[in-house]
Amino acid sequence: MKIPQTVIDKLVSQAQQDAPNETCGYLLGISGEEGDVVTENYWMENIDHSPEHFSFAPKDQFAALKYARQNGLKILANWHSHPASPSRPSQEDLRLANDPTIRYAILSLQEGIHLNSFKILNGEVVNKEVHL
């Protein structure tokens, strides 16, 4: 999955603004012969307002799906920040990763800024991509 620097910059800004709580959203884009390309971040409220976990606001999820359909985009990944832990899935992240068709991206603000995305199947990471 390719994520342009302009989108990464928006993720970082959002994560820094919402810290110390986790922030979250969908990465929307297109799939083609060159693979998946993210075109934008769709921010969603973390209704848990927690530094250790997140839950999407259901109204935001429906709005994101509607927006993606109206604009010919796909949900390529769900993403969230880890303000004080590494860019890797926690046990809770692995347990809640129920969609095998998308990637799960985690932006860490711990010891610099790191962005990785993961393909997760049956609670196990089967692929990792480093984006920043």
Side-chain angles (χ1 to χ4, degrees):
M1 179 174 68
K2 295 181 180 115
I3 307 173
Q5 188 63 46
T6 55
V7 174
I8 291 173
D9 292 345
K10 289 177 182 175
L11 301 180
V12 171
S13 177
Q14 181 182 323
Q16 290 172 332
Q17 179 181 338
D18 291 349
N21 291 333
E22 291 189 358
T23 193
C24 54
Y26 281 145
L27 297 178
L28 307 178
I30 55 174
S31 294
E33 292 179 19
E34 302 295 316
D36 292 339
V37 178
V38 173
T39 58
E40 60 191 281
N41 167 42
Y42 194 100
W43 175 84
M44 290 190 278
E45 179 186 0
N46 174 3
I47 59 174
D48 292 340
H49 304 284
S50 168
E52 297 174 356
H53 52 88
F54 74 99
S55 294
F56 294 140
K59 66 177 175 47
D60 292 342
Q61 284 185 282
F62 289 119
L65 185 56
K66 182 178 179 182
Y67 176 85
R69 286 181 179 162
Q70 288 174 338
N71 291 282
L73 301 172
K74 290 178 60 178
I75 297 170
L76 300 176
N78 102 22
W79 83 276
H80 69 282
S81 63
H82 279 182
S85 60
S87 176
R88 65 174 179 253
S90 66
Q91 288 302 312
E92 180 175 319
D93 294 334
L94 293 171
R95 184 175 57 79
L96 296 175
N98 296 320
D99 187 346
T101 66
I102 65 171
R103 298 189 70 80
Y104 294 85
I106 300 173
L107 177 73
S108 172
L109 300 178
Q110 182 189 40
E111 297 178 6
I113 298 171
H114 305 277
L115 176 63
N116 298 314
S117 70
F118 306 88
K119 193 67 144 173
I120 300 173
L121 298 174
N122 301 317
E124 299 286 331
V125 172
V126 295
N127 177 272
K128 173 185 173 182
E129 292 179 357
V130 176
H131 302 283
L132 177 68

